[in-house]
Amino acid sequence: MNVLRGIPVVAVAVILVGTLLSGPLVPGVDFTKVRETEEGLGSLGSGNITISEATLPDSAVLQRGNYGAGTYRLRVPAATVTVDRYTGRPIISYGIDIDELGYSRNTIRILVNESESRLTIPLEEDDLDKGQLEAEEYDAQLTLLTRAGGNETVVATRNITVAVRS
């Protein structure tokens, strides 16, 4: 037998055997490396977190849009938190609920290798249709919570007034 003719046959045999061994035919054999999440820190919301201080704003504003736009822009000041320590990849969530308008908005911050202990958590501005607004102010609730180790913990809540400004 010619040696050069045997090379493709051996290559095909190795590929076939490797495929069969690593497939579902033979349980317990896995040639793939276990993939860790970012830097071995675990999945989102894993670990734990200790917050010593949280500050929520006292008010928010619905400001009329420019140039006769039929919208109002919701502006909510940022929340601040002081994180004493954390492990894994805990999540901090900051949100507003305006029940009268059926409106809810949240933002999250995933902690990974944070160098600062005092964090600012902004809530992105949003537009609401002018037709939704009938009052000069609305009651709202701000909520700051953490998700870590399979638990959701409310860190702070505050009832505020959202003023509608033309």
Side-chain angles (χ1 to χ4, degrees):
M1 177 177 193
N2 187 354
V3 174
L4 293 177
R5 286 183 94 205
I7 292 175
V9 171
V10 169
V12 168
V14 168
I15 291 171
L16 186 62
V17 168
T19 303
L20 290 174
L21 277 177
S22 66
L25 234 78
V26 182
V29 177
D30 188 3
F31 295 131
T32 59
K33 188 176 183 181
V34 175
R35 192 172 155 208
E36 291 187 37
T37 56
E38 275 182 41
E39 302 171 19
L41 295 174
S43 61
L44 292 178
S46 65
N48 61 52
I49 184 169
T50 304
I51 293 178
S52 61
E53 182 183 348
T55 306
L56 298 175
D58 343 12
S59 63
V61 175
L62 275 162
Q63 182 72 44
R64 186 182 192 128
N66 295 331
Y67 310 111
T71 61
Y72 280 74
R73 178 147 288 211
L74 176 62
R75 293 188 169 113
V76 182
T80 56
V81 297
T82 301
V83 177
D84 288 343
R85 66 182 173 275
Y86 73 93
T87 60
R89 292 173 39 176
I91 297 170
I92 299 175
S93 175
Y94 173 45
I96 184 170
D97 293 308
I98 307 173
D99 291 336
E100 283 182 78
L101 298 175
Y103 179 84
S104 182
R105 184 166 188 85
N106 291 297
T107 188
I108 64 167
R109 171 106 176 238
I110 301 164
L111 301 185
V112 179
N113 298 327
E114 298 289 336
S115 58
E116 299 291 320
S117 63
R118 187 147 178 88
L119 303 175
T120 301
I121 315 291
L123 191 60
E124 200 172 307
E125 294 181 356
D126 195 12
D127 291 329
L128 279 82
D129 185 34
K130 177 177 150 181
Q132 290 179 270
L133 307 176
E134 297 173 356
E136 292 182 15
E137 60 184 30
Y138 292 93
D139 293 328
Q141 184 175 34
L142 298 176
T143 306
L144 185 73
L145 56 89
T146 61
R147 291 185 187 106
N151 297 317
E152 185 172 281
T153 306
V154 176
V155 176
T157 61
R158 174 172 269 172
N159 293 322
I160 65 167
T161 299
V162 179
V164 179
R165 294 191 185 151
S166 296

